[in-house]
Amino acid sequence: MQRLIMTCVLIIGFVSPCLCLRSMVGTKNTFYNVMDFGAHGNGKSDDSHAFSSAWQHTCGTQGTSTLVIPPKGVFLVTNITLKGPCKARSLDPLILISNLNGLTIDGSGGQIDGFGSTWWKCRSCLRPRVISFVSCNDLTVRKLSISNSPRAHITIDGCNGAIFSNINIHAPRNSPNTDGFDIAFSKNILIEDCTIATGDDCIAINGGSSYINATGIACGPGHGISIGSLGKHNAHETVEEIYVYNCSFTKTTNGARIKTVPGGTGYAKRITFEKIKLIQTRNPIILDQFYHSVHLTVTYRGFQGTSANDKAINLDCGPSGCFNIVLDQIDIVSSDTSKPAHCSCNNAHGTTTSTVPNCSCLLK
């Protein structure tokens, strides 16, 4: 018998995809607490019926409704299904976990389907994320499968100390903005041994983030692992101490990408992509650096495989240039033998060692 034990404050706001084109029906938020439907929260009694009943009321209520799982309880549930479509409508995200220390989520055998296909066709809609972790410390999430989010699958915001392992994320390659992980204003985050297939970045590391480690990530399809975009709306944003190791990019739009936008300021420093396997990756190494004032240090080491684009390495820097770029032990060939791989540089400065294709355009 499959069991799920919850030991956290978990507030779930459910959204009905079929209402994404309609206006909000009122502003009152109705709360349904599982304890009011007979849950015990003692870790021994089966609370499945209470959860199902609370969900039926949450899902069947017009307007905004919230299913509440209170703190300090251990809830044992077995083989329950929380199913829509619902009359209820709430704002993003579907599941919010916030302000917790030392939380462990073990999703062994569990699966979350965001049913995003009804949302994707409405690109102007406020499409919800599936799970958001906000201001959590010493967090552990493992063995969880998430598919078809309306927008990003997992967001990490303002967290310090988290390990995400053995996470399986899947959405079609044409699903819009369905990042696997979106990280912002967080530090000491480890994402390891995950399989991510999406319509956008497998992992996006945004401003205010530091000491982020992504190890053993199988990415594809998707847009690769990205730093940024940084500097939107003339913002000052910083990212540092990023380590991406032993990852693969299979038929992705990008591989290792750093992207900043004109008008922004800040820095992206001590960033390393190492031991990267490429399988028909369209843009294996791509750097778009247009900060007005920026400090950049990035190392690309141990890349091997094929590029689906003849421009295998693209280092495109703004008028002020970018410096401290290291290319080391790079071996990228074109998957189309009629179009040999090459390197393109614009105002880029750094060093190369054992790099194929040759990057003689990189300035000293």
Side-chain angles (χ1 to χ4, degrees):
M1 179 172 63
Q2 184 182 20
R3 305 194 302 176
L4 169 65
I5 298 178
M6 301 181 185
T7 58
C8 61
V9 184
L10 185 59
I11 299 180
I12 308 178
F14 293 93
V15 183
S16 174
C18 60
L19 296 178
C20 73
L21 295 175
R22 302 179 188 176
S23 61
M24 180 69 76
V25 183
T27 58
K28 181 181 178 181
N29 191 357
T30 304
F31 293 89
Y32 293 98
N33 192 317
V34 294
M35 301 300 287
D36 296 333
F37 291 84
H40 296 85
N42 58 18
K44 299 179 181 178
S45 303
D46 188 345
D47 291 326
S48 302
H49 179 72
F51 271 64
S52 295
S53 297
W55 165 247
Q56 289 172 8
H57 283 77
T58 304
C59 187
T61 299
Q62 293 280 357
T64 300
S65 61
T66 301
L67 175 65
V68 179
I69 304 169
K72 300 180 181 179
V74 178
F75 298 90
L76 174 63
V77 295
T78 59
N79 296 323
I80 63 169
T81 300
L82 307 181
K83 189 175 182 180
C86 298
K87 296 179 180 179
R89 176 170 179 162
S90 179
L91 294 178
D92 166 51
L94 299 182
I95 301 173
L96 170 64
I97 300 175
S98 66
N99 300 100
L100 290 176
N101 297 323
L103 170 69
T104 295
I105 298 175
D106 189 325
S108 297
Q111 187 170 0
I112 300 173
D113 191 330
F115 291 98
S117 59
T118 53
W119 287 91
W120 297 331
K121 58 189 176 184
C122 179
R123 301 208 176 202
S124 62
C125 293
L126 179 62
R127 289 177 282 120
R129 300 157 291 177
V130 168
I131 302 179
S132 291
F133 296 94
V134 179
S135 300
C136 294
N137 303 317
D138 301 319
L139 172 70
T140 300
V141 182
R142 57 179 177 251
K143 298 179 182 178
L144 184 63
S145 293
I146 308 174
S147 60
N148 303 315
S149 177
R151 194 159 50 121
H153 288 76
I154 298 174
T155 62
I156 305 165
D157 193 351
C159 297
N160 183 2
I163 299 174
F164 292 82
S165 62
N166 300 109
I167 309 296
N168 186 2
I169 294 173
H170 184 270
R173 67 169 61 246
N174 62 348
S175 56
N177 308 117
T178 51
D179 290 347
F181 286 85
D182 237 331
I183 305 170
F185 300 102
S186 297
K187 59 184 179 180
N188 300 312
I189 308 297
L190 170 61
I191 303 172
E192 62 179 352
D193 302 326
C194 299
T195 300
I196 306 173
T198 72
D200 211 313
D201 293 332
C202 290
I203 300 175
I205 302 170
N206 298 295
S209 299
S210 60
Y211 296 93
I212 310 298
N213 184 320
T215 296
I217 309 300
C219 172
H223 294 182
I225 295 179
S226 296
I227 313 297
S229 297
L230 303 176
K232 291 180 179 178
H233 311 298
N234 300 320
H236 178 87
E237 293 189 298
T238 65
V239 169
E240 61 183 324
E241 299 291 354
I242 311 299
Y243 189 48
V244 179
Y245 177 74
N246 192 27
C247 297
S248 65
F249 299 108
T250 303
K251 297 183 178 180
T252 52
T253 302
N254 305 304
R257 186 175 191 185
I258 300 174
K259 46 184 176 177
T260 69
V261 299
T265 60
Y267 59 76
K269 59 185 182 181
R270 292 189 289 277
I271 297 168
T272 300
F273 295 91
E274 183 174 7
K275 195 179 178 183
I276 304 298
K277 182 179 180 181
L278 307 165
I279 302 172
Q280 296 184 41
T281 305
R282 184 161 181 78
N283 298 293
I285 295 175
I286 180 168
L287 169 62
D288 303 310
Q289 205 279 82
F290 291 97
Y291 271 177
H292 284 323
S293 175
V294 68
H295 179 71
L296 171 71
T297 55
V298 57
T299 297
Y300 303 96
R301 176 177 292 119
F303 279 61
Q304 188 171 25
T306 58
S307 172
N309 182 1
D310 58 343
K311 189 185 293 186
I313 301 174
N314 185 10
L315 307 174
D316 189 13
C317 303
S320 60
C322 48
F323 300 82
N324 306 306
I325 299 170
V326 176
L327 297 171
D328 181 31
Q329 301 176 54
I330 308 296
D331 186 7
I332 306 174
V333 299
S334 175
S335 58
D336 183 351
T337 56
S338 67
K339 296 181 178 180
H342 70 275
C343 176
S344 174
C345 310
N346 179 37
N347 293 329
H349 299 252
T351 62
T352 65
T353 306
S354 301
T355 295
V356 176
N358 184 283
C359 263
S360 58
C361 59
L362 190 64
L363 304 173
K364 300 296 184 181

